[in-house]
Amino acid sequence: YPPERIRNFSIIAHVDHGKSTLADRLLELTGTIKKGHGQPQYLDKLQVERERGITVKAQTATMFFRHKFQQHEATEKENAPNFLLNLIDTPGHVDFSYEVSRSLAACQGVLLVVDAAQGVQAQTVANFYLAFESNLAIIPVINKIDQPTADPDRVKAQLKSLFDLDPNHALLTSAKTGQGLEHVLPSVIDRIPAPPGKCDSPLRMLLLDSYYDEYKGVICHVAVVDGALCKGDKIASSATGHVYEVSDIGIMHPELTPTGVLLTGQVGYIVSGMRSTAEARVGDTLHQAKSTVLPLPGFKPAKHMVFSGLYPADGSDFDALNHAIERLICNDASVSVTKETSTALGMGFRCGFLGLLHMDVFHQRLEQEYGAKVLSTIPTVPYIFEYSDGSKVKVQNPAALASNPGKSVTACWEPSVIATIILPCEYVGPVITLCSERRGDQLEYSFIESQRVLMKYQLPLREIVVDFYNELKSITSGYASFDYEDAEYQKSDLVKLDILLNGQAVDAMATIVHNLKAQRVGRELVDKLKKFIDRQMFEISIQAAIGSRIIARETISAMRKNVLSKCYGGDVTRKRKLLEKQKEGKKRMKRVGSVDIPQEAFHELLKVS
Ligand code: GDP
Ligand code: MG
């Protein structure tokens, strides 16, 4: 297939508007997957994706399609496919917009899917601008027109007023009933430009993604921008200069299908003896080892918005967790990992994530796919502190900020975001209250149609990391949609909040909070801990403190748990069994100083904002 017979496109949409379902239908329509293959959302391969109904990793599939031109072309066989189409499915959740912009780098156009009943939502706006800024052709698709509440005309008006898209160009579809789907691929061919690369130039190939496969080793997803690549070729990385030999090469159709060659404009995979995904740098330009080329513009590096400590949940298993994390980051290059040590929890890792959902998903994948048992500490955002000696540090772990550092803190900053919220106007009141409780500044307030409002707020990242989205959904009965982009650091008034158990600070429970919220957060943390720490052999005091000032306190009184009291002396085996059982129970505890803390206590602390 020459480039003019190739189209690379992506589907972008607000979550739940039907991207994955539409992708399935297009794969079926082209015979790439069988109809009724029993697994909806074919491209959502991960267990987390299926359970949560979200797409986390962008996936690619190559399809072959017969396009009927207006004039009959005598030279072509009647029904043989004459176009090669690469579809890149993208995640819809805000946390993963990094994956979206990565996928778009390999595309010349997008299908912008909008639910015919719900209309344009916050992520529709965000995704539209990602595509628009990359100069991609945008085909609006109004989906779910089978729904009784569908109102395509209303959506058309929104597309016109918000994005200046010609409403006559919108496709109307139902990915459920199949209505209108026959126009989708012909529109892709007619309205999205062919990939612009040069066939006779030296190879330039963008590394889109990589993952580790048990049998094949590192598999790279690549987009060939210029030139061509064959099996056996020697390629080099622009970033590292390392040279590799291509041992397997092909397309995702939708499973890996060897083709021996990838030509200009194609998207496919290569296996080239890379040892670890650390060598496969996403955004890198690969070229023939013998030639030199100008690297392609890469991607913006992933920005880590949320940090959390990950520790082995039963103490002994550091190596197992280490192994699991190493393996998983092979498939999720957007997580940053450094080793750290906590006095309370021992050896672990400080991980940076794109957002809270990303953190949850990473945690869940570690447990489900790699069998690791993980305990995570209170998430934090990267703050900047300036000390009296003029030095500035970025703090990703609250414990690293000493309560009494000898030098005093003279100023601090916290990261902020610009949030876009779209909602029906009857919910405006409670949402404004929520945003001001979360220390937000309103930047914009406008009607996008008579009953719907778009608001923009500058909010501290810290305030949206924990539970903002859920709260927003609940006060608007699910009608508000939300997205954000990161903005600059703002000057702030921050304090470190310590948790003390029996007078001893537990480093893994320290957090950094805004001064005005310290009292309430301290109280909540202490209350939660009291609920989750069992009575033990001795009295336990739980305190929250800022420096040496105690701001909240609770006590758990002593109790002797005597599991043997019901055994009347004699039965030794029974006694032993009970003691074993008690030991089992203790396994899921963390001993901090002299206090046993159940896993749930740590988990509950995550939810305090
Ligand atoms: P995504 O989050 O954008 O990938 O959305 P999904 O493809 O997972 O679809 C979300 C939900 O909408 C699923 O329950 C689909 O079955 C449903 N859905 C998708 N397309 C249609 C459609 O055209 N009509 C109706 N009624 N439901 C649809
Ligand atoms: Mg999906």
Side-chain angles (χ1 to χ4, degrees), residues 11-25 40-41 44 49 52-55 89-93 113 115-116 123 142-148 173-179 181:
I11 307 182
I12 56 177
H14 190 77
V15 70
D16 273 353
H17 282 196
K19 272 184 323 283
S20 301
T21 312
L22 180 64
D24 278 1
R25 293 293 95 78
Q41 278 94 42
D44 290 345
E49 293 180 324
R52 296 176 181 235
I54 53 167
T55 305
D89 192 25
T90 60
H93 192 276
V113 175
D115 183 311
Q123 285 156 48
I142 301 175
N143 186 38
K144 305 202 191 183
I145 52 167
D146 59 288
Q147 293 182 112
T173 65
S174 165
K176 189 175 170 190
T177 66
Q179 201 184 340
L181 291 183

Side-chain angles (χ1 to χ4, degrees), residues 457-496:
Y457 268 91
Q458 182 152 19
L459 283 151
L461 174 61
R462 169 75 182 97
E463 299 291 336
I464 60 159
V465 157
V466 180
D467 237 27
F468 179 81
Y469 188 52
N470 288 340
E471 180 101 20
L472 179 70
K473 281 271 171 200
S474 92
I475 60 175
T476 61
S477 315
Y479 282 116
S481 66
F482 165 70
D483 202 346
Y484 63 81
E485 55 187 314
D486 45 326
E488 72 274 20
Y489 273 76
Q490 287 179 313
K491 205 150 195 170
S492 187
D493 180 13
L494 304 166
V495 291
K496 182 186 176 201

Side-chain angles (χ1 to χ4, degrees), residues 313-373:
D314 20 26
S316 55
D317 267 349
F318 176 78
D319 288 335
L321 178 61
N322 189 10
H323 185 67
I325 288 182
E326 269 176 13
R327 297 269 302 284
L328 182 51
I329 56 177
C330 289
N331 294 313
D332 186 352
S334 49
V335 179
S336 76
V337 181
T338 49
K339 290 207 166 94
E340 74 174 12
T341 311
S342 148
T343 18
L345 302 177
M347 285 210 288
F349 302 88
R350 173 88 359 202
C351 299
F353 303 97
L354 305 173
L356 208 64
L357 176 68
H358 184 213
M359 177 177 113
D360 271 2
V361 164
F362 190 79
H363 194 137
Q364 193 180 343
R365 290 185 70 186
L366 277 176
E367 302 207 327
Q368 282 178 346
E369 293 170 36
Y370 299 95
K373 291 249 181 315

Side-chain angles (χ1 to χ4, degrees), residues 372-496:
K373 291 249 181 315
V374 192
L375 191 157
S376 46
T377 64
I378 307 180
T380 187
V381 301
Y383 296 105
I384 294 175
F385 282 82
E386 185 185 64
Y387 294 103
S388 47
D389 63 359
S391 61
K392 267 190 194 175
V393 289
K394 202 168 220 176
V395 177
Q396 298 171 350
N397 178 359
L401 186 72
S403 314
N404 191 1
K407 42 191 180 180
S408 54
V409 170
T410 49
C412 43
W413 293 264
E414 61 181 322
S416 72
V417 299
I418 307 279
T420 303
I421 302 168
I422 294 182
L423 71 170
C425 54
E426 64 260 39
Y427 298 107
V428 160
V431 173
I432 288 180
T433 309
L434 172 68
C435 291
S436 54
E437 268 166 18
R438 302 286 181 128
R439 301 188 279 130
D441 283 328
Q442 198 178 71
L443 304 178
E444 192 183 322
Y445 180 98
S446 54
F447 280 86
I448 59 171
E449 56 185 36
S450 65
Q451 295 302 309
R452 286 165 69 76
V453 171
L454 181 152
M455 298 198 287
K456 277 194 194 252
Y457 268 91
Q458 182 152 19
L459 283 151
L461 174 61
R462 169 75 182 97
E463 299 291 336
I464 60 159
V465 157
V466 180
D467 237 27
F468 179 81
Y469 188 52
N470 288 340
E471 180 101 20
L472 179 70
K473 281 271 171 200
S474 92
I475 60 175
T476 61
S477 315
Y479 282 116
S481 66
F482 165 70
D483 202 346
Y484 63 81
E485 55 187 314
D486 45 326
E488 72 274 20
Y489 273 76
Q490 287 179 313
K491 205 150 195 170
S492 187
D493 180 13
L494 304 166
V495 291
K496 182 186 176 201

Side-chain angles (χ1 to χ4, degrees), residues 195-418:
K198 297 183 195 71
C199 304
D200 46 6
S201 290
L203 171 75
R204 287 202 297 173
M205 174 165 80
L206 192 59
L207 205 163
L208 296 175
D209 200 1
S210 68
Y211 64 97
Y212 190 84
D213 178 274
E214 289 280 334
Y215 305 104
K216 292 185 153 70
V218 176
I219 296 179
C220 298
H221 288 181
V222 293
V224 177
V225 176
D226 295 317
L229 180 68
C230 297
K231 185 173 171 172
D233 282 357
K234 290 216 165 45
I235 53 166
S237 148
S238 296
T240 64
H242 290 180
V243 173
Y244 306 93
E245 187 176 320
V246 178
S247 61
D248 187 7
I249 181 168
I251 56 175
M252 283 79 85
H253 183 54
E255 304 300 334
L256 302 185
T257 309
T259 56
V261 60
L262 283 176
L263 302 173
T264 307
Q266 290 193 342
V267 176
Y269 74 90
I270 59 167
V271 179
S272 63
M274 288 184 184
R275 291 284 182 73
S276 77
T277 47
E279 289 176 71
R281 300 196 187 177
V282 166
D284 192 4
T285 301
L286 302 172
H287 55 89
Q288 298 281 4
K290 55 184 190 289
S291 64
T292 48
V293 299
L294 207 63
L296 298 157
F299 312 122
K300 276 189 260 167
K303 250 204 195 130
H304 301 114
M305 309 280 251
V306 182
F307 290 83
S308 158
L310 294 188
Y311 289 85
D314 20 26
S316 55
D317 267 349
F318 176 78
D319 288 335
L321 178 61
N322 189 10
H323 185 67
I325 288 182
E326 269 176 13
R327 297 269 302 284
L328 182 51
I329 56 177
C330 289
N331 294 313
D332 186 352
S334 49
V335 179
S336 76
V337 181
T338 49
K339 290 207 166 94
E340 74 174 12
T341 311
S342 148
T343 18
L345 302 177
M347 285 210 288
F349 302 88
R350 173 88 359 202
C351 299
F353 303 97
L354 305 173
L356 208 64
L357 176 68
H358 184 213
M359 177 177 113
D360 271 2
V361 164
F362 190 79
H363 194 137
Q364 193 180 343
R365 290 185 70 186
L366 277 176
E367 302 207 327
Q368 282 178 346
E369 293 170 36
Y370 299 95
K373 291 249 181 315
V374 192
L375 191 157
S376 46
T377 64
I378 307 180
T380 187
V381 301
Y383 296 105
I384 294 175
F385 282 82
E386 185 185 64
Y387 294 103
S388 47
D389 63 359
S391 61
K392 267 190 194 175
V393 289
K394 202 168 220 176
V395 177
Q396 298 171 350
N397 178 359
L401 186 72
S403 314
N404 191 1
K407 42 191 180 180
S408 54
V409 170
T410 49
C412 43
W413 293 264
E414 61 181 322
S416 72
V417 299
I418 307 279

